[in-house]
Amino acid sequence: MRQPHLMFDNRIGEKLRLVWGLRAEYVNLNKVNQVLDTAFANINKGKPEKDQYDYSDLLNREPNLNLFPSANLTYSLTPKMNFRLAYAKSIVRPDLRELSYFREYDFELGGAYTAGLIRSTLIHNLDFRYEWYPNPGEIISISLFYKKLDYPMEIYKVGDNREYELRNNKSAKNRGIEVELRKSLAFTGLPVIKHLTLYGNFTALDARVTPMLLSYNQRNPDNPLKITPIENIGEEEKRPQTGASNFMYNAGAYYDDGPFSLSMSYNYVTNRMFRPNIQYAFSLFERPLESLDGQLAFRLLKKRAEVKLNVSNLLGSSSVVYINRYDDPEINNFKKAPNTQQLLYQKDKDVVDFETKPGRTFSLSFSYQF
């Protein structure tokens, strides 16, 4: 892999700052798939050159050289307040195993896991952000973001069988808003309260995925010996990609008066996509852990010694992967997609595929600085 890059930092007047650059990457993924190379060689083995199949379209589905521009424009309203507009192009490449057309048993999924003919995912990131830093260590920010993904990769559940396949979709679009807050209450000057810091984060996501099935054993109508992959593109689905959710938020509090500190954090994610299905309504969904964690610390012997008690998953929450059951016949007949509310886990109604119960975790540690 070769990665030459350039970066520039320019001031435009007193208020504007532009940081921009370009990175180039040269990666030849066509030279890493020995399984396909061997298969093509065996198919053409012993045939005259004029009768051999041409598989070049399967091996040249993406360029070896990619350019990745980026730019970050900052407008300073005050020394503590900024507007930022940023763009960046990036890439996610499959690893060597995923490029090797493999098949294996996945113990987490509980079924066979295969990879088809995979290509890299190009990502275009656009972000507009307002940020205010009232004091050191504090922030109040609001961000609007947009991500466009070309050929995103997802692991699909194949039918009703316990088989899973890594595929490329045609595209995905993510739009959303993120709000972040971290504020110390030292300004109150009140006993106890002045040692408290509050923080929180909220993200709302509107996502769309355009699915695709790749038929990679089709003959070119103009040349029967040339094998040409055909992209069969489906209708756009209103859903996040695997691992993402429509709504996420976390909140916490941190207290520190020197010899004693206490922190609590809470994290909640609504139902998220676990493994999509060709029929979206019958995909596997996940209700993640609703976590509440805490830490209690004491500093002793002139702050040279410290005792820490950590507690994880105070709520005793579990993670559930499930298949929804719907009362709406139009959803069951694939005439419309379920909304976010209908995708939420319903105990004693939805079918649980598997459940993880990590339980509560306690740990106690002691450290001393000489």
Side-chain angles (χ1 to χ4, degrees), residues 89-100:
K89 182 181 177 183
S90 57
I91 192 169
V92 176
R93 293 188 175 90
D95 61 29
L96 294 180
R97 183 189 64 158
E98 293 164 346
L99 286 169
S100 65

Side-chain angles (χ1 to χ4, degrees), residues 321-361:
V321 174
Y322 61 96
I323 301 175
N324 265 297
R325 289 292 179 258
Y326 306 99
D327 297 324
D328 191 333
E330 290 191 355
I331 297 177
N332 292 324
N333 293 326
F334 314 118
K335 293 183 178 180
K336 73 175 184 180
N339 58 40
T340 302
Q341 185 66 31
Q342 290 169 318
L343 295 177
L344 294 175
Y345 175 65
Q346 302 175 80
K347 190 176 182 180
D348 301 325
K349 180 179 179 181
D350 296 332
V351 178
V352 176
D353 190 75
F354 68 87
E355 183 175 5
T356 304
K357 296 182 178 180
R360 298 178 180 88
T361 302

